[in-house]
Amino acid sequence: MSGIAGWVDHRRDLTREGQAASVMTARLSARGRHGEGLWTSRSAVFGHRSDALDTVGAQPAVIREHGRPIAVITFDGVLYNASELRSHLAADGRRGPLATDADVVLRAYLRWGHAVAERLEGLFAFAVWDVRTSELLLCRDRFGVKPLSYLPLPGGVLFASEVTALAAHPLVSTELDAEGLCSVLAQVRRPGHAVLRGLREVRPAHLVRCTADGIVERRYWALEARPHTQDLPRTIETARGLLDEAISREAGAGTPAVLLSGGLDSSALTGLASEVAGTAPRTFTVSFGGDAAAVPDRPFAQAVVDRLGCDHREILVEPGELTDPLTLDAVLEAKDFPSPFGDKNLTPYLFYRQVAAHTPVALSGEAADAVFGGLISEQERASSEHRTFPWIERARTFGMTHGIGNGLFDEELLREVEYASFCAERYQEAVDEVPHLSGAAGDDRRARELDYLHMTRLYEQAVNHSERLGAAAGLQVRFPFSDHRLFGYLFNVPWRMKSFDGRDKSLLRAISKDLLPASVLDRPKVPFPITYHAGYKQSLATRLREVLEDPGAPVLPLLDLPSAWKVVDDPGLLDRGGWLGRADTEMVLQLDGWLRSRRIRLAL
């Protein structure tokens, strides 16, 4: 939970360019609020923003031989196998500290070179500058939980945890072109591409080598198709063992803390964490103050707490906090990317901020839906007509033709930027990646495709959402269901086993059946709670009116203005489809704020 940034240039003397690098690093304050470190040489500048967990060792970290630096690292994240790596590295005869995870990764790079990525387990993004070879290595964890973007330059590369930091550099042109706008509206990007023109992302499970001769990418891990030979009891036992191992690695020593919603995923995680740790976890549940809403999660969460004896806290979010301009700005800064999720962003941020006062690290049940098949319906699996991502198809059933949050954008504009073609291309691109078993039946192939789409494209939205909000709130959120061994195993479990009793996530219910109350095990899936406070909805209408009345609002050229004014004149339209009616307005407000704050120019 830190921020990293840097600049490599084989043509400039970067010892004279400290100001630009310092400004980039300073813009990472949402990821690291407790100090800044810079390391500068002629060809490379590395920056690092620290958080409250960085108690030992400064970054960027440097290893020297004969008094001269040979390698430098700036690192964000946590290694789960740091102890194992230390035992390997302690005997290699090379001097240098092994106190922090950054030290371990740097020493491991010197030991194994580019093969270091395969040996690392955890959540991480890092950059290594090899002084000996003048090579920059960028690397990201298997699921891309930790963000890392970069911009190729003539003679060099800029990189940073957040696009916000890159945009602060004078060599970066912040332009949103047609593909970038489509990426924002679809919430799906072309693999390896960021939203702003020219910017790139280090893809999950990839490393990027940058030299004076160019840039080379390499994938170091991928989901693979393998025959599943175990029967149902053995499958349940294996999945349980993998989950226990993942929880043990991510929870660490002591009493674990769990974000408990009362749904199956977080409740199962709480029960399993209790078993693994041998003690009841500390648990945290969000609720709303005033007359905002009755949170349906409360009785289910309480049933889990009573069953396990958890040290439980209910975190109260007051309605006024959701409309506080400081909160709105903090969340937009944290996300680094506009989205239609509104108070589904605001509430977790405020929740995490209060949880962080009690614990620096908390476990989340995020990703259980993706890995256990909880987002796939029988109808979707059996259908032979597939043209786009399933979550866009689901939105269409609620009358949202272009997906969630895009109902107030001009139809002619969407045709001009070829939004439908963009979505179709991204969908086909994802489907073409899916590994299949030879001779698999049609419905089994489709189930595997749906699993892959959720485990990659949708997963990236959900977990990045939580990680970024947690980092900004000072809470390190960890995701045991995101363990790559568990993902790889369950990717190959047939659909008939994942839903063996006719329900979604049958395997997860079987794993946790002896740990949870029946009411929780049988509870249908419900979305993250939202506020129904009248003041919040009125705030949305007021803010939308302010945008529409501002002739300089950057989002105006993109909108269907008559439709937007209808929402202002009739705020009841915000209730269309429950939360979905709000999403259209939330997206307009987010996009406008993002364009303004980053000074992004439309280049459509």
Side-chain angles (χ1 to χ4, degrees):
M1 201 171 72
S2 304
I4 67 175
W7 181 10
V8 167
D9 201 309
H10 299 282
R11 300 178 182 179
R12 297 174 183 262
D13 181 355
L14 296 187
T15 59
R16 302 174 180 175
E17 307 293 347
Q19 177 66 20
S22 181
V23 170
M24 273 178 52
T25 306
R27 287 302 302 270
L28 295 168
S29 58
R31 298 193 62 82
R33 300 157 296 159
H34 299 282
E36 177 179 306
L38 284 173
W39 180 88
T40 304
S41 69
R42 184 178 182 85
S43 298
V45 180
F46 273 27
H48 186 266
R49 290 286 306 190
S50 301
D51 70 358
L53 297 180
D54 296 331
T55 57
V56 180
Q59 288 200 57
V62 184
I63 287 182
R64 293 176 168 83
E65 285 187 353
H66 308 297
R68 296 182 178 181
I70 61 168
V72 185
I73 189 170
T74 181
F75 175 90
D76 170 29
V78 57
L79 292 182
Y80 301 142
N81 64 334
S83 296
E84 176 187 336
L85 291 171
R86 283 188 178 95
S87 65
H88 283 291
L89 297 168
D92 70 0
R94 186 181 296 276
R95 294 183 178 180
L98 289 170
T100 68
D101 287 353
D103 295 332
V104 171
V105 174
L106 190 55
R107 283 276 298 276
Y109 167 77
L110 293 176
R111 173 77 175 271
W112 294 298
H114 303 135
V116 65
E118 289 90 333
R119 294 178 176 267
L120 303 179
E121 296 181 11
L123 309 178
F124 54 80
F126 65 85
V128 169
W129 172 243
D130 192 325
V131 180
R132 304 164 303 178
T133 60
S134 296
E135 176 179 301
L136 173 69
L137 180 70
L138 305 174
C139 188
R140 202 166 169 210
D141 63 69
R142 287 169 178 80
F143 295 106
V145 175
K146 295 295 181 179
L148 184 57
S149 298
Y150 66 100
L151 174 67
L153 296 171
V157 175
L158 292 168
F159 68 88
S161 297
E162 304 289 2
V163 170
T164 300
L166 290 174
H169 195 283
L171 294 179
V172 177
S173 175
T174 52
E175 294 181 336
L176 184 71
D177 59 14
E179 179 174 320
L181 178 62
C182 290
S183 298
V184 170
L185 299 183
Q187 298 288 296
V188 176
R189 298 182 287 284
R190 187 152 49 113
H193 288 253
V195 171
L196 297 182
R197 174 180 283 175
L199 297 189
R200 304 273 299 178
E201 288 182 342
V202 179
R203 297 180 66 181
H206 279 68
L207 52 84
V208 178
R209 295 173 57 197
C210 310
T211 69
D213 296 325
I215 294 175
V216 177
E217 297 183 42
R218 178 174 74 84
R219 186 167 199 155
Y220 65 86
W221 180 84
L223 289 168
E224 297 178 357
R226 301 189 186 96
H228 186 77
T229 59
Q230 296 177 335
D231 61 13
L232 180 58
R234 181 60 178 157
T235 298
I236 295 170
E237 180 183 353
T238 301
R240 168 68 184 267
L242 290 170
L243 253 179
D244 285 347
E245 291 173 7
I247 292 169
S248 179
R249 280 192 295 271
E250 302 209 23
T255 302
V258 182
L259 306 175
L260 174 63
S261 72
L264 175 63
D265 303 345
S266 64
S267 298
L269 176 60
T270 304
L272 292 166
S274 179
E275 289 281 299
V276 169
T279 184
R282 290 176 291 169
T283 51
F284 301 88
T285 298
V286 69
S287 66
F288 294 109
D291 58 351
V295 178
D297 292 334
R298 181 180 293 164
F300 297 95
Q302 191 61 51
V304 174
V305 169
D306 293 342
R307 173 72 173 264
L308 300 175
C310 301
D311 176 9
H312 185 64
R313 289 177 175 80
E314 191 171 277
I315 301 297
L316 196 65
V317 172
E318 295 290 354
E321 295 181 277
L322 295 169
T323 57
D324 185 340
L326 294 179
T327 301
L328 299 174
D329 287 347
V331 168
L332 182 60
E333 183 74 13
K335 288 298 295 289
D336 203 40
F337 186 80
S339 75
F341 301 122
D343 62 318
K344 288 178 179 282
N345 292 334
L346 300 167
T347 299
Y349 169 75
L350 294 167
F351 176 50
Y352 294 161
R353 194 167 65 178
Q354 291 196 56
V355 172
H358 301 280
T359 178
V361 178
L363 305 182
S364 167
E366 200 83 66
D369 271 327
V371 74
F372 282 98
L375 298 169
I376 304 173
S377 70
E378 182 66 26
Q379 181 180 3
E380 287 173 331
R381 187 185 67 84
S383 173
S384 59
E385 294 293 326
H386 312 292
R387 299 185 182 87
T388 190
F389 296 100
W391 48 95
I392 294 179
E393 287 286 3
R394 290 173 207 141
R396 288 173 177 170
T397 65
F398 290 95
M400 309 189 85
T401 306
H402 305 295
I404 295 174
N406 299 327
L408 298 183
F409 290 91
D410 182 65
E411 289 278 352
E412 180 60 32
L413 170 74
L414 296 180
R415 284 190 289 271
E416 289 176 2
V417 300
E418 299 181 328
Y419 175 73
S421 296
F422 173 88
C423 292
E425 289 169 6
R426 301 290 77 77
Y427 170 73
Q428 192 59 51
E429 191 172 61
V431 168
D432 289 344
E433 290 178 8
V434 181
H436 286 288
L437 291 173
S438 177
D443 56 350
D444 285 340
R445 287 179 63 87
R446 182 53 183 167
R448 187 180 289 275
E449 288 174 356
L450 289 167
D451 268 345
Y452 190 87
L453 294 174
H454 287 101
M455 286 178 168
T456 56
R457 300 319 194 262
L458 186 64
Y459 169 92
E460 186 178 14
Q461 294 180 33
V463 174
N464 283 353
H465 161 96
S466 296
E467 192 279 338
R468 282 183 159 102
L469 292 174
L475 181 69
Q476 189 174 128
V477 183
R478 298 184 183 174
F479 311 94
F481 288 108
S482 297
D483 180 79
H484 70 280
R485 295 180 184 86
L486 182 67
F487 259 63
Y489 178 75
L490 290 176
F491 180 61
N492 289 293
V493 172
W495 174 253
R496 64 181 179 276
M497 282 192 176
K498 290 184 178 179
S499 59
F500 67 83
D501 62 358
R503 296 184 295 177
D504 62 354
K505 293 188 285 192
S506 302
L507 282 180
L508 186 56
R509 287 186 170 85
I511 287 169
S512 52
K513 67 178 182 179
D514 296 329
L515 302 172
L516 301 178
S519 61
V520 175
L521 287 169
D522 295 332
R523 186 188 184 194
K525 180 175 176 57
V526 295
F528 191 86
I530 63 171
T531 180
Y532 292 94
H533 193 270
Y536 183 76
K537 291 190 289 184
Q538 183 58 52
S539 171
L540 289 180
T542 300
R543 291 166 58 206
L544 181 59
R545 176 186 291 277
E546 291 171 353
V547 167
L548 297 177
E549 290 178 343
D550 179 2
V555 79
L556 284 185
L558 309 178
L559 300 183
D560 175 352
L561 293 176
S563 294
W565 275 110
K566 285 181 182 178
V567 175
V568 172
D569 295 335
D570 181 10
L573 293 174
L574 293 169
D575 297 323
R576 179 174 57 89
W579 169 81
L580 294 175
R582 287 189 197 174
D584 291 339
T585 297
E586 301 274 19
M587 188 63 179
V588 170
L589 297 175
Q590 282 264 310
L591 182 55
D592 187 71
W594 182 70
L595 293 170
R596 289 176 190 263
S597 63
R598 273 70 169 176
R599 298 180 181 178
I600 295 169
R601 186 175 70 86
L602 295 175
L604 306 178

